[in-house]
Coordinates of all heavy atoms in Angstrom, one line a residue:
I16 N 7.4 5.3 -9.7 CA 6.8 5.7 -8.5 C 7.6 6.9 -8.0 O 8.8 6.7 -7.7 CB 6.7 4.6 -7.5 CG1 6.0 3.4 -8.0 CG2 6.0 5.1 -6.2 CD1 6.2 2.2 -7.1
P17 N 7.0 8.1 -7.8 CA 7.8 9.2 -7.3 C 8.2 9.0 -5.8 O 7.5 8.3 -5.1 CB 6.8 10.4 -7.4 CG 5.7 9.9 -8.4 CD 5.7 8.4 -8.3
M18 N 9.3 9.6 -5.5 CA 9.8 9.5 -4.1 C 8.7 10.0 -3.1 O 8.1 11.0 -3.3 CB 11.0 10.3 -3.9 CG 12.2 9.8 -4.7 SD 13.2 8.7 -3.8 CE 14.8 9.2 -4.4
G19 N 8.5 9.2 -2.0 CA 7.6 9.6 -1.0 C 6.1 9.4 -1.4 O 5.2 9.9 -0.8
S20 N 5.9 8.6 -2.5 CA 4.5 8.4 -3.0 C 4.3 6.9 -3.2 O 5.1 6.0 -2.8 CB 4.4 9.1 -4.3 OG 3.1 9.0 -4.8
G21 N 3.1 6.6 -3.7 CA 2.8 5.2 -3.9 C 1.9 5.0 -5.2 O 1.4 5.9 -5.8
L22 N 1.8 3.7 -5.5 CA 1.0 3.3 -6.7 C 0.1 2.1 -6.3 O 0.7 1.1 -5.8 CB 1.9 2.9 -7.8 CG 1.3 2.3 -9.1 CD1 0.5 3.4 -9.8 CD2 2.4 1.8 -10.0
I23 N -1.2 2.2 -6.5 CA -2.1 1.1 -6.2 C -2.3 0.2 -7.4 O -2.7 0.7 -8.5 CB -3.4 1.6 -5.6 CG1 -3.2 2.4 -4.4 CG2 -4.4 0.4 -5.4 CD1 -4.4 3.2 -3.9
L24 N -2.0 -1.1 -7.3 CA -2.2 -2.0 -8.4 C -3.4 -2.9 -7.9 O -3.3 -3.9 -7.3 CB -1.0 -2.9 -8.7 CG 0.3 -2.1 -9.0 CD1 1.4 -3.0 -9.1 CD2 0.1 -1.3 -10.3
A25 N -4.6 -2.3 -8.1 CA -5.9 -3.0 -7.6 C -6.0 -4.4 -8.1 O -6.4 -5.3 -7.3 CB -7.1 -2.1 -8.0
Q26 N -5.7 -4.7 -9.3 CA -5.9 -6.0 -9.8 C -5.0 -7.0 -9.1 O -5.4 -8.2 -8.9 CB -5.6 -6.1 -11.3 CG -5.9 -7.4 -12.0 CD -5.7 -7.4 -13.5 OE1 -5.6 -6.3 -14.1 NE2 -5.7 -8.6 -14.1
D27 N -3.8 -6.6 -8.8 CA -2.8 -7.4 -8.1 C -3.0 -7.3 -6.5 O -2.2 -8.0 -5.8 CB -1.4 -7.1 -8.5 CG -1.2 -7.3 -10.0 OD1 -1.6 -8.4 -10.4 OD2 -0.5 -6.5 -10.6
K28 N -3.8 -6.4 -6.1 CA -4.1 -6.2 -4.7 C -2.8 -5.9 -3.9 O -2.5 -6.4 -2.8 CB -4.8 -7.4 -4.0 CG -6.1 -7.7 -4.7 CD -6.8 -8.8 -4.1 CE -8.2 -9.0 -4.8 NZ -8.8 -10.3 -4.5
I29 N -2.0 -4.9 -4.4 CA -0.8 -4.5 -3.8 C -0.6 -3.0 -4.0 O -1.1 -2.4 -4.9 CB 0.4 -5.2 -4.4 CG1 1.7 -4.9 -3.6 CG2 0.6 -4.9 -5.9 CD1 2.9 -5.8 -4.1
V30 N -0.1 -2.4 -2.9 CA 0.3 -0.9 -3.0 C 1.8 -0.9 -3.0 O 2.5 -1.5 -2.1 CB -0.2 -0.1 -1.8 CG1 0.2 1.3 -1.9 CG2 -1.7 -0.3 -1.7
L31 N 2.4 -0.3 -4.0 CA 3.9 -0.1 -4.1 C 4.2 1.3 -3.6 O 3.6 2.2 -4.0 CB 4.4 -0.3 -5.5 CG 4.1 -1.7 -6.1 CD1 4.5 -1.7 -7.6 CD2 4.9 -2.7 -5.4
I32 N 5.2 1.3 -2.7 CA 5.5 2.6 -2.1 C 7.0 2.9 -2.3 O 7.8 1.9 -2.2 CB 5.3 2.5 -0.5 CG1 3.9 2.2 -0.2 CG2 5.7 3.8 0.1 CD1 2.8 3.2 -0.6
R33 N 7.4 4.1 -2.6 CA 8.8 4.5 -2.7 C 9.0 5.5 -1.6 O 8.4 6.6 -1.6 CB 9.1 5.1 -4.1 CG 10.6 5.5 -4.1 CD 11.0 6.1 -5.5 NE 10.8 5.2 -6.6 CZ 11.6 4.3 -7.1 NH1 12.8 4.3 -6.6 NH2 11.3 3.6 -8.1
S34 N 9.9 5.1 -0.7 CA 10.2 6.0 0.5 C 10.9 7.2 0.0 O 11.4 7.3 -1.1 CB 11.0 5.3 1.5 OG 12.3 5.0 1.0
S35 N 11.1 8.2 0.9 CA 11.8 9.4 0.5 C 13.3 9.1 0.3 O 14.0 9.9 -0.3 CB 11.6 10.5 1.6 OG 12.0 9.9 2.9
S36 N 13.8 8.0 0.8 CA 15.1 7.5 0.6 C 15.3 6.8 -0.7 O 16.4 6.5 -1.2 CB 15.7 6.7 1.7 OG 15.0 5.4 1.7
G37 N 14.2 6.5 -1.4 CA 14.2 5.8 -2.7 C 13.9 4.3 -2.6 O 13.8 3.6 -3.7
A38 N 13.9 3.7 -1.4 CA 13.6 2.3 -1.3 C 12.1 2.0 -1.7 O 11.2 2.8 -1.5 CB 13.8 1.8 0.2
V39 N 11.9 0.8 -2.3 CA 10.6 0.4 -2.7 C 10.1 -0.7 -1.9 O 10.9 -1.7 -1.6 CB 10.5 0.0 -4.2 CG1 9.2 -0.5 -4.6 CG2 10.9 1.2 -5.1
H40 N 8.9 -0.7 -1.3 CA 8.3 -1.8 -0.6 C 6.8 -1.9 -0.9 O 6.3 -1.0 -1.6 CB 8.6 -1.6 0.9 CG 7.8 -0.5 1.5 ND1 8.3 0.8 1.6 CD2 6.7 -0.4 2.2 CE1 7.5 1.6 2.2 NE2 6.5 0.9 2.6
G41 N 6.2 -3.0 -0.6 CA 4.9 -3.3 -0.9 C 4.0 -3.6 0.4 O 4.6 -4.2 1.3
V42 N 2.8 -3.2 0.3 CA 1.8 -3.7 1.3 C 0.5 -4.1 0.6 O 0.3 -3.8 -0.6 CB 1.4 -2.5 2.3 CG1 2.7 -2.1 3.2 CG2 0.9 -1.3 1.6
S43 N -0.3 -4.9 1.3 CA -1.5 -5.3 0.7 C -2.4 -4.1 0.4 O -2.5 -3.2 1.2 CB -2.2 -6.3 1.7 OG -3.5 -6.6 1.2
A44 N -3.2 -4.2 -0.7 CA -4.2 -3.2 -1.0 C -5.5 -3.5 -0.4 O -6.5 -2.8 -0.7 CB -4.3 -3.0 -2.5
V45 N -5.6 -4.6 0.3 CA -6.9 -5.0 0.9 C -7.1 -4.5 2.3 O -6.3 -4.9 3.2 CB -7.0 -6.6 0.9 CG1 -8.3 -7.0 1.5 CG2 -6.8 -7.1 -0.5
C46 N -8.0 -3.6 2.5 CA -8.3 -3.0 3.8 C -8.6 -4.1 4.8 O -9.3 -5.1 4.6 CB -9.4 -2.0 3.7 SG -9.8 -1.2 5.3
T47 N -8.0 -4.0 6.0 CA -8.1 -5.0 7.1 C -9.5 -4.8 7.8 O -9.8 -5.6 8.7 CB -7.0 -4.9 8.1 OG1 -6.9 -3.6 8.6 CG2 -5.7 -5.3 7.4
H48 N -10.3 -3.9 7.4 CA -11.6 -3.7 8.1 C -12.6 -4.7 7.5 O -13.0 -5.6 8.1 CB -12.1 -2.2 7.9 CG -13.5 -2.0 8.5 ND1 -14.5 -1.5 7.8 CD2 -14.0 -2.3 9.7 CE1 -15.6 -1.4 8.5 NE2 -15.3 -1.9 9.7
Q49 N -12.9 -4.5 6.2 CA -13.9 -5.4 5.5 C -13.5 -5.8 4.1 O -14.3 -6.2 3.4 CB -15.3 -4.7 5.5 CG -15.9 -4.6 6.9 CD -17.4 -4.2 6.8 OE1 -17.9 -3.6 5.8 NE2 -18.1 -4.4 7.9
G50 N -12.2 -5.7 3.8 CA -11.7 -6.3 2.6 C -11.9 -5.4 1.3 O -11.7 -5.9 0.2
C51 N -12.2 -4.1 1.5 CA -12.3 -3.2 0.3 C -10.9 -3.0 -0.2 O -9.9 -3.1 0.6 CB -12.9 -1.9 0.7 SG -14.7 -2.0 1.1
I52 N -10.7 -2.6 -1.5 CA -9.4 -2.3 -2.0 C -9.2 -0.8 -1.8 O -10.1 0.0 -2.0 CB -9.4 -2.6 -3.5 CG1 -9.6 -4.0 -3.8 CG2 -8.0 -2.1 -4.1 CD1 -8.5 -5.0 -3.2
V53 N -8.0 -0.4 -1.2 CA -7.8 1.0 -0.9 C -7.8 1.8 -2.2 O -7.6 1.2 -3.3 CB -6.4 1.1 -0.2 CG1 -6.5 0.4 1.2 CG2 -5.2 0.6 -1.0
S54 N -7.9 3.1 -2.1 CA -8.2 3.8 -3.3 C -7.2 5.0 -3.6 O -7.1 5.5 -4.7 CB -9.6 4.5 -3.3 OG -9.7 5.4 -2.2
S55 N -6.4 5.4 -2.6 CA -5.5 6.5 -2.9 C -4.3 6.4 -1.9 O -4.3 5.9 -0.8 CB -6.2 7.8 -2.7 OG -6.5 8.1 -1.4
V56 N -3.2 7.0 -2.4 CA -2.0 7.2 -1.6 C -1.6 8.7 -1.7 O -1.2 9.1 -2.8 CB -0.8 6.4 -2.0 CG1 0.4 6.6 -1.1 CG2 -1.2 4.9 -2.1
Q57 N -1.9 9.5 -0.7 CA -1.6 10.9 -0.7 C -1.1 11.4 0.6 O -1.6 11.0 1.7 CB -2.9 11.7 -1.1 CG -3.4 11.5 -2.4 CD -4.6 12.3 -2.7 OE1 -5.4 12.5 -1.8 NE2 -4.8 12.7 -4.0
N58 N -0.1 12.3 0.6 CA 0.5 12.9 1.8 C 0.8 11.9 2.8 O 0.6 12.0 4.0 CB -0.5 13.9 2.4 CG -0.9 15.0 1.4 OD1 0.0 15.5 0.7 ND2 -2.2 15.3 1.3
G59 N 1.4 10.7 2.4 CA 1.9 9.7 3.3 C 0.8 8.8 3.9 O 1.1 8.1 4.8
V60 N -0.4 8.9 3.3 CA -1.5 8.1 3.9 C -2.2 7.3 2.7 O -2.4 7.8 1.7 CB -2.6 9.0 4.5 CG1 -3.8 8.3 5.0 CG2 -2.0 9.8 5.7
I61 N -2.4 6.0 3.0 CA -3.2 5.1 2.1 C -4.6 5.1 2.7 O -4.8 4.9 3.8 CB -2.6 3.7 2.2 CG1 -1.1 3.7 1.7 CG2 -3.4 2.8 1.3 CD1 -0.4 2.4 2.0
S62 N -5.6 5.5 1.8 CA -7.0 5.6 2.2 C -7.9 4.5 1.6 O -7.7 4.2 0.4 CB -7.5 7.0 1.8 OG -6.7 8.0 2.5
C63 N -8.8 4.1 2.4 CA -9.8 3.2 1.9 C -11.1 3.9 1.7 O -11.6 4.6 2.6 CB -10.0 2.0 3.0 SG -11.3 0.9 2.5
P64 N -11.8 3.8 0.6 CA -13.0 4.5 0.3 C -14.3 4.0 1.0 O -15.2 4.7 1.1 CB -13.2 4.4 -1.2 CG -12.6 3.0 -1.5 CD -11.4 2.9 -0.5
C65 N -14.2 2.8 1.5 CA -15.5 2.2 2.0 C -15.9 2.7 3.4 O -17.1 3.1 3.5 CB -15.3 0.7 2.1 SG -15.1 -0.1 0.5
H66 N -15.0 2.8 4.3 CA -15.4 3.2 5.7 C -14.4 4.2 6.3 O -14.5 4.4 7.5 CB -15.6 2.0 6.6 CG -16.6 1.1 6.1 ND1 -16.3 -0.1 5.4 CD2 -18.0 1.1 6.0 CE1 -17.4 -0.7 5.0 NE2 -18.4 0.0 5.4
G67 N -13.5 4.7 5.5 CA -12.7 5.8 6.0 C -11.4 5.4 6.7 O -10.7 6.2 7.3
S68 N -11.0 4.1 6.6 CA -9.8 3.7 7.3 C -8.6 4.3 6.5 O -8.6 4.5 5.3 CB -9.6 2.2 7.2 OG -10.6 1.5 8.0
Q69 N -7.6 4.6 7.3 CA -6.3 5.2 6.8 C -5.1 4.5 7.3 O -5.2 4.0 8.5 CB -6.2 6.7 7.1 CG -7.3 7.5 6.4 CD -7.2 9.0 6.6 OE1 -6.7 9.4 7.7 NE2 -7.6 9.8 5.7
F70 N -4.1 4.4 6.5 CA -2.9 3.6 6.9 C -1.7 4.4 6.6 O -1.6 5.2 5.6 CB -2.9 2.3 6.1 CG -4.1 1.4 6.3 CD1 -5.2 1.6 5.4 CD2 -4.1 0.5 7.3 CE1 -6.3 0.8 5.6 CE2 -5.3 -0.3 7.4 CZ -6.3 -0.1 6.6
D71 N -0.7 4.3 7.4 CA 0.6 5.0 7.1 C 1.3 4.4 5.9 O 1.4 3.1 5.8 CB 1.5 4.8 8.3 CG 2.9 5.5 8.2 OD1 3.7 4.9 7.4 OD2 3.1 6.5 8.8
A72 N 1.6 5.2 4.9 CA 2.1 4.7 3.6 C 3.5 4.1 3.8 O 3.9 3.3 2.9 CB 2.2 5.8 2.6
Q73 N 4.3 4.4 4.8 CA 5.6 3.9 5.0 C 5.6 2.5 5.7 O 6.4 1.6 5.4 CB 6.5 4.8 5.7 CG 6.8 6.1 5.0 CD 7.4 5.9 3.6 OE1 8.4 5.2 3.5 NE2 6.8 6.4 2.6
T74 N 4.6 2.3 6.6 CA 4.6 1.1 7.4 C 3.4 0.2 7.2 O 3.4 -0.9 7.6 CB 4.7 1.5 8.9 OG1 3.5 2.2 9.3 CG2 5.9 2.4 9.2
G75 N 2.3 0.8 6.7 CA 1.1 0.1 6.6 C 0.2 0.1 7.9 O -0.8 -0.5 7.9
A76 N 0.7 0.7 8.9 CA 0.0 0.8 10.2 C -1.3 1.5 10.0 O -1.4 2.5 9.3 CB 0.9 1.5 11.2
A77 N -2.3 1.0 10.7 CA -3.6 1.6 10.8 C -3.5 2.9 11.6 O -3.0 2.9 12.7 CB -4.7 0.7 11.4
V78 N -3.9 4.1 11.0 CA -3.8 5.3 11.7 C -5.1 6.0 11.9 O -5.2 6.9 12.7 CB -2.8 6.3 11.0 CG1 -1.4 5.7 11.0 CG2 -3.3 6.6 9.6
A79 N -6.2 5.6 11.3 CA -7.5 6.2 11.4 C -8.6 5.2 10.9 O -8.3 4.4 10.0 CB -7.6 7.5 10.7
G80 N -9.8 5.4 11.4 CA -10.9 4.6 11.0 C -11.1 3.3 11.7 O -10.4 3.0 12.6
P81 N -12.0 2.5 11.2 CA -12.3 1.2 11.9 C -11.3 0.1 11.6 O -11.5 -1.0 12.2 CB -13.7 0.9 11.3 CG -13.7 1.4 9.9 CD -12.9 2.7 10.0
A82 N -10.3 0.2 10.7 CA -9.4 -0.9 10.5 C -8.7 -1.4 11.7 O -8.1 -0.5 12.4 CB -8.4 -0.5 9.4
P83 N -8.8 -2.6 12.1 CA -8.2 -3.1 13.3 C -6.7 -3.5 13.3 O -6.1 -3.6 14.3 CB -9.0 -4.4 13.7 CG -9.4 -4.9 12.3 CD -9.6 -3.7 11.4
R84 N -6.2 -3.7 12.0 CA -4.8 -4.2 11.9 C -4.2 -3.4 10.7 O -4.8 -2.9 9.9 CB -4.9 -5.7 11.5 CG -5.4 -6.6 12.6 CD -5.4 -8.0 12.2 NE -6.1 -8.3 11.0 CZ -7.5 -8.3 10.8 NH1 -8.3 -8.1 11.8 NH2 -8.0 -8.6 9.6
P85 N -2.8 -3.5 10.7 CA -2.1 -2.8 9.6 C -2.3 -3.6 8.3 O -2.7 -4.7 8.3 CB -0.6 -2.9 10.1 CG -0.6 -4.0 11.0 CD -1.9 -4.1 11.7
L86 N -1.9 -2.9 7.2 CA -1.9 -3.6 5.9 C -0.7 -4.5 5.9 O 0.4 -4.1 6.2 CB -1.8 -2.6 4.8 CG -3.0 -1.7 4.6 CD1 -2.6 -0.6 3.6 CD2 -4.2 -2.4 4.2
P87 N -0.8 -5.8 5.6 CA 0.3 -6.7 5.7 C 1.4 -6.3 4.6 O 1.0 -5.9 3.5 CB -0.3 -8.1 5.3 CG -1.7 -8.0 5.6 CD -2.1 -6.5 5.4
A88 N 2.6 -6.5 5.0 CA 3.7 -6.3 4.1 C 3.7 -7.3 3.0 O 3.4 -8.5 3.2 CB 5.0 -6.3 4.8
I89 N 4.1 -6.9 1.8 CA 4.3 -7.8 0.7 C 5.7 -7.6 0.2 O 6.1 -6.5 -0.2 CB 3.3 -7.6 -0.5 CG1 1.9 -7.9 0.0 CG2 3.6 -8.4 -1.7 CD1 0.8 -7.6 -1.0
S90 N 6.5 -8.7 0.1 CA 7.9 -8.6 -0.3 C 8.0 -8.3 -1.8 O 7.4 -9.0 -2.6 CB 8.6 -9.9 0.1 OG 9.9 -9.8 -0.2
V91 N 8.8 -7.3 -2.1 CA 9.0 -6.9 -3.5 C 10.5 -6.7 -3.7 O 11.3 -6.4 -2.7 CB 8.2 -5.7 -4.0 CG1 6.8 -5.9 -3.9 CG2 8.6 -4.5 -3.2
V92 N 11.0 -6.8 -4.9 CA 12.4 -6.6 -5.3 C 12.4 -5.8 -6.6 O 11.6 -6.0 -7.4 CB 13.1 -7.9 -5.4 CG1 12.6 -8.8 -6.5 CG2 14.6 -7.7 -5.6
V93 N 13.4 -4.9 -6.7 CA 13.6 -4.1 -7.9 C 14.8 -4.7 -8.6 O 15.8 -4.8 -8.1 CB 13.9 -2.6 -7.6 CG1 14.1 -1.8 -8.8 CG2 12.7 -2.0 -6.8
R94 N 14.5 -5.1 -9.9 CA 15.5 -5.7 -10.8 C 15.4 -5.0 -12.1 O 14.4 -5.1 -12.8 CB 15.4 -7.2 -10.9 CG 15.9 -8.0 -9.8 CD 16.0 -9.4 -10.1 NE 14.7 -9.9 -10.6 CZ 14.0 -10.8 -10.0 NH1 14.4 -11.4 -8.9 NH2 12.8 -11.2 -10.4
G95 N 16.5 -4.4 -12.6 CA 16.5 -3.9 -13.9 C 15.5 -2.8 -14.2 O 14.9 -2.7 -15.3
G96 N 15.1 -2.0 -13.2 CA 14.1 -1.0 -13.3 C 12.7 -1.5 -13.2 O 11.8 -0.7 -13.3
N97 N 12.5 -2.8 -13.0 CA 11.2 -3.4 -12.8 C 11.0 -3.8 -11.4 O 11.9 -4.2 -10.7 CB 11.0 -4.6 -13.8 CG 11.0 -4.1 -15.2 OD1 10.3 -3.2 -15.6 ND2 11.8 -4.8 -16.0
I98 N 9.7 -3.9 -10.9 CA 9.4 -4.3 -9.6 C 8.7 -5.7 -9.6 O 7.7 -5.8 -10.4 CB 8.5 -3.3 -8.9 CG1 9.2 -1.9 -8.8 CG2 8.2 -3.7 -7.5 CD1 8.4 -0.8 -8.4
Y99 N 9.2 -6.6 -8.8 CA 8.6 -8.0 -8.8 C 8.3 -8.4 -7.4 O 9.0 -8.0 -6.5 CB 9.6 -9.0 -9.4 CG 10.0 -8.7 -10.8 CD1 11.2 -8.0 -11.0 CD2 9.3 -9.2 -11.9 CE1 11.6 -7.7 -12.3 CE2 9.7 -8.9 -13.2 CZ 10.9 -8.2 -13.4 OH 11.3 -7.9 -14.6
R100 N 7.2 -9.2 -7.2 CA 7.0 -9.8 -5.9 C 8.1 -10.8 -5.7 O 8.5 -11.5 -6.6 CB 5.7 -10.6 -5.9 CG 4.5 -9.7 -5.7 CD 3.3 -10.5 -5.5 NE 2.1 -9.6 -5.4 CZ 1.0 -10.0 -4.8 NH1 0.8 -11.2 -4.3 NH2 0.0 -9.1 -4.7
S101 N 8.6 -10.9 -4.5 CA 9.7 -11.8 -4.2 C 9.2 -12.9 -3.2 O 8.2 -12.9 -2.7 CB 10.9 -11.1 -3.7 OG 10.6 -10.4 -2.5

């Protein structure tokens, strides 16, 4: 995952984010509006294709659209170059 970017694992319903400092964290890929799976991480924003909700890629906070709540955090750990749910 490039620094300051993210990777959506739709099957696992998780978005993995690497901050500009290099830390990796996870948030749910399930939009808090109506349960669609988010579709992109660009320019620090996680976007949902269904109704236009947008979330801050660093915090999961809802920043635009009808989503009423942030994307919940998912605990992850990096071991040996691999990322695991913890």
Side-chain angles (χ1 to χ4, degrees):
I16 305 168
M18 297 267 219
S20 186
L22 173 67
I23 298 169
L24 303 174
Q26 184 175 348
D27 296 319
K28 299 180 182 170
I29 187 171
V30 181
L31 297 173
I32 304 295
R33 182 179 301 266
S34 70
S35 56
S36 68
V39 176
H40 66 276
V42 295
S43 173
V45 180
C46 181
T47 58
H48 177 235
Q49 289 190 342
C51 294
I52 300 298
V53 297
S54 62
S55 68
V56 182
Q57 294 180 325
N58 302 318
V60 176
I61 300 169
S62 299
C63 179
C65 294
H66 302 101
S68 291
Q69 295 183 328
F70 304 88
D71 182 284
Q73 295 303 307
T74 66
V78 296
R84 293 177 309 282
L86 296 172
I89 295 176
S90 182
V91 296
V92 63
V93 179
R94 279 191 306 244
N97 294 309
I98 302 169
Y99 302 94
R100 280 189 185 201
S101 59

